[in-house]
Amino acid sequence: LPNTDHPWYCGRVASGRERPFERGLHRFGIHTYFPVEQRIIPRHFDTYTREMPLFPGYVFVSLYEGQWPLIREKQSYKPQWLMVNGRPAQIPTELLEELAGREVNGFVEIPRELSEGDEVEVTEGLWRGHRGLLASDPARRIVTLHLIAESYALQPTQVLTKLKIDREQVRRVNV
């Protein structure tokens, strides 16, 4: 995160146009922060890593009052600003510092408390107490469970059932 005394704002540009927007601002000496994460992408029989925006389409910009005309007049990518009461919202520096503090080699590391293949137990709702294996992307709000056969010795037809359960209703089982 660039060290600056000026307030931070959040501009929205078309997804995929964040880097050109940043380059345009850097020409005028305006500081930006564009947090990215590294994702592993499966492809056919292989995988590759890719830089992905943590907030697609959003770039944090540090501006003082006199720099606003530069963005309005000189910038080819004109952002929509996050607004509060008709004015651009100031983003707390502490929030951006926390994000920047999670960076390793330029990528923000987001802790994932669940990962595919973890044994999990439903903690709330109709399926409370049932266990399964997490079989979907842990970043999603909804998880899919494959029910474990031992839990359903009397009901073998349910072994192949997939359930969609709110992520907040699931916890990892310590084996």
Side-chain angles (χ1 to χ4, degrees):
L1 184 67
N3 190 9
T4 177
D5 294 330
H6 308 302
W8 287 91
Y9 302 92
C10 185
R12 186 177 194 302
V13 294
S15 187
R17 300 287 184 213
E18 302 95 346
R19 292 291 188 201
F21 176 64
E22 272 192 309
R23 282 192 299 272
L25 294 176
H26 291 166
R27 285 189 328 222
F28 300 108
I30 297 173
H31 296 290
T32 63
Y33 180 56
F34 179 55
V36 294
E37 64 179 333
Q38 190 173 32
R39 288 204 194 143
I40 298 173
I41 310 292
R43 186 177 180 130
H44 303 294
F45 298 104
D46 201 9
T47 59
Y48 66 97
T49 57
R50 183 170 179 193
E51 176 185 284
M52 300 291 284
L54 199 58
F55 309 108
Y58 292 91
V59 177
F60 298 100
V61 181
S62 177
L63 295 168
Y64 61 87
E65 199 62 39
Q67 291 178 314
W68 284 101
L70 283 174
I71 292 178
R72 286 190 211 109
E73 298 164 11
K74 307 273 186 192
Q75 184 65 18
S76 57
Y77 296 102
K78 303 219 180 338
Q80 294 176 329
W81 297 99
L82 256 54
M83 306 289 275
V84 173
N85 297 328
R87 296 190 53 117
Q90 287 190 14
I91 307 301
T93 305
E94 298 81 28
L95 174 73
L96 299 178
E97 287 171 347
E98 182 182 335
L99 274 175
R102 293 175 181 246
E103 284 187 9
V104 176
N105 297 325
F107 297 104
V108 176
E109 298 261 327
I110 302 295
R112 307 270 190 229
E113 66 267 9
L114 297 174
S115 59
E116 191 170 341
D118 284 350
E119 184 178 347
V120 293
E121 179 179 5
V122 181
T123 57
E124 296 177 30
L126 179 66
W127 295 93
R128 182 182 182 158
H130 292 92
R131 292 182 176 191
L133 297 177
L134 183 64
S136 65
D137 178 8
R140 291 176 44 198
R141 181 171 163 72
I142 303 294
V143 296
T144 305
L145 300 175
H146 290 287
L147 303 180
I148 297 175
E150 294 101 38
S151 299
Y152 295 95
L154 300 176
Q155 303 169 357
T157 57
Q158 291 190 358
V159 172
L160 299 177
T161 302
K162 288 184 182 180
L163 302 174
K164 289 189 178 179
I165 298 175
D166 228 13
R167 188 165 174 203
E168 285 76 31
Q169 297 178 353
V170 174
R171 71 173 177 87
R172 182 183 306 173
V173 176
N174 295 327
V175 189

